[in-house]
Amino acid sequence: MKLTEEQLKTFDELGYLYLPGCFNAEEVARLKAAAQDVFSEQREEIWREKNGVPRTAFACHKYNQTCNALVGDHRLVEPLEQLFGEQVYVHQFKINAKAAFTGEVWQWHQDFPTWHKDDGMPEPRAMNIAIFLDDVMPINGPLMIVPKSHKHGALQSSHDQQTTSYPLWTLDNDTVTKLVENNGIVTPTGKAGGVLMFHANIVHGSAGNITPYPRRIVYLTLSALSNAITNPTRPEFIAHTDFTPVTSASDGMDQQCLAALSS
Amino acid sequence: MKLTEEQLKTFDELGYLYLPGCFNAEEVARLKAAAQDVFSEQREEIWREKNGVPRTAFACHKYNQTCNALVGDHRLVEPLEQLFGEQVYVHQFKINAKAAFTGEVWQWHQDFPTWHKDDGMPEPRAMNIAIFLDDVMPINGPLMIVPKSHKHGALQSSHDQQTTSYPLWTLDNDTVTKLVENNGIVTPTGKAGGVLMFHANIVHGSAGNITPYPRRIVYLTLSALSNAITNPTRPEFIAHTDFTPVTSASDGMDQQCLAALSS
């Protein structure tokens, strides 16, 4: 699945691209069932909120078949190959739960500084591409993005190990305030099955979720093959060191996705 | 300022009423300056988030002239006199800060159970009427309301003294889930100067605010005179025991407000 010229331009300008309806209801149902299986396990790869509710399931593509099948999906792989102009490998695979009632905040951050400082990733030639497993609404902790913030490169960040259970290199309030003053905040919302891709240096975060609506998202982080990490300090299940290129596989959903892309 | 028959009907049916543009820009500016003065003080009436940032300033109408002038405002007093069919007194006056970046959650609750259990208020013949001091947006922790939930009366609640710095009688997740399944969640949003009134038994809450946009709201809680509290256990600045009826005063803003009301 290739992005159009216009989509490439939008991505370059804004730093993100939201593609509604890329996965159909049946696929979403399969992925939700997989997420439920994954989150019911007791494993070290599943990180929890401070109250014990699952927050993130890392590397579940290693032990869950449905998740594994998603890794090579052409709707996720090809746009990133296109952007990087080369093959990609899996840097990280995770499901973020943002559980109903208890899903906690993700503080304002860029992804690349964490990948760079904690994993030794050379350049921001990697990216998150996300699949919405639930309807993402304004009320259930949608991702908040500061458009165009990726143009500032890697901003100064500090290591937040206090706010949540997940250590993260986060931005200070003054930096976020200035960026937001210039370009505001967008919250790409939409039905389950939508796909959201965003630049490694885009500034983003999300508030807690107090609603009865869970907001599960699968994040596939793909890196350009030439951008393999050099100094991983985090567990292998968080920063993979298998640099085998991903083989893109079509599953016959092309028509649906192309329709979404041309709309 | 009187509510129309249609507004009374809407309030009865849904349990809340949002009146945009009731206070003009100059009034909002005065109130915001007052809020800034209030929150800069070090007083026992100002409760703070766990990180020290102000969360709620109680009873600031006792020491801040602008807040004091607001108490009798006809736009706030007359609708409640109309609904209760009698004069009202001030049960509580506060400014909730929901500070930029750090404003914490208010868990799902009804107001009346706290007033009843902690203050000995006989009946849900009291109500919050709120003035937005900042633009309330989907992203900066707007009040979430479950429409029609007031029809269930006072629901079973338990005393949450852990989640935030402010003890509150909160609802369990199953109860909220069932109510939301039936009637969803609304988030009245709008420009600073809007007024929101909601039934003492409406189920509501709000998520944290991680944006650079503060979301300050003044809450005036007025109770029917015949509904005076009988057994206050909280400090006087949280549950007042001066049952003098409020005298409604017009400040000449009638036309603006009537226009907003009839739109």
Side-chain angles (χ1 to χ4, degrees), chain B residues 24-103:
Chain B
N24 67 23
E26 196 273 324
E27 291 174 303
V28 168
R30 247 163 44 212
L31 287 167
K32 282 169 86 158
Q36 195 163 344
D37 287 347
V38 164
F39 282 125
S40 70
E41 300 218 17
Q42 296 292 328
R43 309 176 65 109
E44 63 167 349
E45 301 99 317
I46 298 175
W47 288 36
R48 295 175 185 278
E49 308 283 16
K50 286 176 175 172
N51 66 0
V53 170
R55 176 179 175 88
T56 296
F58 289 104
C60 46
H61 66 306
K62 300 271 191 184
Y63 61 87
N64 179 284
Q65 200 173 355
T66 306
C67 294
N68 184 266
L70 193 65
V71 169
D73 194 286
H74 69 112
R75 290 164 287 191
L76 309 175
V77 173
E78 287 182 10
L80 271 57
E81 287 179 336
Q82 191 181 359
L83 276 162
F84 297 137
E86 60 174 298
Q87 283 190 291
V88 294
Y89 79 93
V90 179
H91 173 63
Q92 195 178 83
F93 185 104
K94 62 178 179 277
I95 308 176
N96 280 357
K98 188 72 85 175
F101 293 109
T102 56

Side-chain angles (χ1 to χ4, degrees), chain B residues 88-256:
Chain B
V88 294
Y89 79 93
V90 179
H91 173 63
Q92 195 178 83
F93 185 104
K94 62 178 179 277
I95 308 176
N96 280 357
K98 188 72 85 175
F101 293 109
T102 56
E104 279 185 18
V105 69
W106 288 81
Q107 299 287 10
W108 294 104
H109 68 285
Q110 301 169 301
D111 291 326
F112 177 63
T114 297
W115 300 336
H116 182 63
K117 292 176 183 175
D118 290 354
D119 310 328
M121 183 182 284
E123 301 289 335
R125 289 174 54 74
M127 201 182 301
N128 272 326
I129 186 159
I131 306 115
F132 294 179
L133 301 194
D134 297 294
D135 294 352
V136 177
M137 299 176 276
I139 55 172
N140 64 345
L143 214 67
M144 298 187 192
I145 287 176
V146 183
K148 305 184 181 180
S149 52
H150 64 305
K151 296 287 188 187
H152 296 270
L155 299 158
Q156 199 179 338
S157 55
S158 56
H159 209 201
D160 176 6
Q161 299 181 76
Q162 298 302 319
T163 309
T164 71
S165 58
Y166 187 65
L168 202 63
W169 288 86
T170 60
L171 302 168
D172 65 51
N173 294 353
D174 285 349
T175 302
V176 175
T177 300
K178 278 180 201 142
L179 292 168
V180 170
E181 273 170 3
N182 288 329
N183 293 303
I185 292 171
V186 295
T187 51
T189 53
K191 293 276 173 199
V195 163
L196 178 67
M197 48 193 288
F198 47 97
H199 193 281
N201 277 331
I202 202 83
V203 173
H204 62 288
S206 65
N209 179 18
I210 68 162
T211 75
Y213 305 110
R215 194 227 65 178
R216 290 161 291 187
I217 293 184
V218 178
Y219 284 97
L220 176 60
T221 312
L222 297 173
S223 171
L225 215 57
S226 64
N227 192 43
I229 62 174
T230 57
N231 187 28
T233 63
R234 302 191 291 177
E236 216 282 333
F237 63 79
I238 295 185
H240 297 304
T241 50
D242 175 356
F243 307 131
T244 311
V246 174
T247 306
S248 175
S250 170
D251 64 354
M253 294 298 306
D254 299 46
Q255 290 314 308
Q256 178 187 1

Side-chain angles (χ1 to χ4, degrees), chain A residues 22-44:
Chain A
C22 263
F23 286 73
N24 67 22
E26 197 273 324
E27 292 174 302
V28 168
R30 247 163 44 213
L31 288 167
K32 282 169 86 158
Q36 195 163 344
D37 288 346
V38 164
F39 282 124
S40 70
E41 299 217 18
Q42 296 292 329
R43 308 176 67 108
E44 64 167 347

Side-chain angles (χ1 to χ4, degrees), chain A residues 235-252:
Chain A
E236 215 283 332
F237 62 80
I238 295 185
H240 298 304
T241 50
D242 174 355
F243 307 130
T244 311
V246 174
T247 306
S248 174
S250 170
D251 64 354

Side-chain angles (χ1 to χ4, degrees), chain A:
Chain A
M1 179 186 101
K2 291 287 201 309
L3 302 176
T4 64
E5 280 305 312
E6 195 184 332
Q7 287 169 331
L8 290 168
K9 199 178 147 206
T10 300
F11 180 83
D12 177 61
E13 186 190 343
L14 300 180
Y16 72 98
L17 206 53
Y18 174 55
L19 308 168
C22 263
F23 286 73
N24 67 22
E26 197 273 324
E27 292 174 302
V28 168
R30 247 163 44 213
L31 288 167
K32 282 169 86 158
Q36 195 163 344
D37 288 346
V38 164
F39 282 124
S40 70
E41 299 217 18
Q42 296 292 329
R43 308 176 67 108
E44 64 167 347
E45 301 98 317
I46 298 175
W47 288 35
R48 295 175 185 279
E49 307 283 15
K50 286 176 176 173
N51 68 0
V53 170
R55 175 180 176 89
T56 296
F58 289 103
C60 46
H61 67 306
K62 300 269 191 185
Y63 60 88
N64 180 284
Q65 201 173 355
T66 307
C67 294
N68 185 266
L70 193 64
V71 168
D73 195 287
H74 69 112
R75 290 164 288 191
L76 309 176
V77 174
E78 286 182 10
L80 270 59
E81 288 178 337
Q82 192 180 357
L83 276 163
F84 298 136
E86 61 174 298
Q87 283 191 291
V88 294
Y89 80 93
V90 179
H91 173 63
Q92 193 178 83
F93 185 103
K94 63 179 181 275
I95 308 176
N96 280 357
K98 188 71 85 173
F101 292 111
T102 55
E104 278 186 20
V105 70
W106 288 81
Q107 299 288 11
W108 294 104
H109 68 284
Q110 300 169 302
D111 290 327
F112 177 63
T114 296
W115 301 336
H116 182 64
K117 292 176 183 177
D118 291 354
D119 310 329
M121 183 182 283
E123 299 291 333
R125 289 174 54 75
M127 202 182 301
N128 272 327
I129 184 159
I131 306 114
F132 294 179
L133 301 195
D134 297 293
D135 294 352
V136 177
M137 298 175 277
I139 56 173
N140 64 346
L143 214 66
M144 298 186 193
I145 287 176
V146 184
K148 305 183 181 179
S149 52
H150 64 306
K151 297 286 188 188
H152 296 270
L155 299 158
Q156 198 180 340
S157 55
S158 57
H159 209 201
D160 176 6
Q161 300 182 74
Q162 298 302 320
T163 309
T164 72
S165 58
Y166 187 65
L168 201 64
W169 289 86
T170 60
L171 302 168
D172 66 51
N173 294 353
D174 285 349
T175 302
V176 175
T177 301
K178 278 178 202 144
L179 292 168
V180 171
E181 274 170 3
N182 288 331
N183 293 304
I185 292 171
V186 295
T187 52
T189 53
K191 294 277 174 199
V195 163
L196 178 68
M197 49 193 287
F198 47 97
H199 193 281
N201 277 331
I202 202 83
V203 172
H204 62 288
S206 65
N209 179 18
I210 68 161
T211 75
Y213 306 111
R215 194 227 64 179
R216 288 161 292 187
I217 293 184
V218 178
Y219 285 97
L220 177 60
T221 313
L222 297 172
S223 170
L225 215 57
S226 65
N227 192 44
I229 61 173
T230 56
N231 188 27
T233 63
R234 302 190 292 177
E236 215 283 332
F237 62 80
I238 295 185
H240 298 304
T241 50
D242 174 355
F243 307 130
T244 311
V246 174
T247 306
S248 174
S250 170
D251 64 354
M253 294 299 307
D254 300 45
Q255 290 315 309
Q256 179 188 0
C257 226
L258 287 172
L261 286 169
S262 63
S263 67

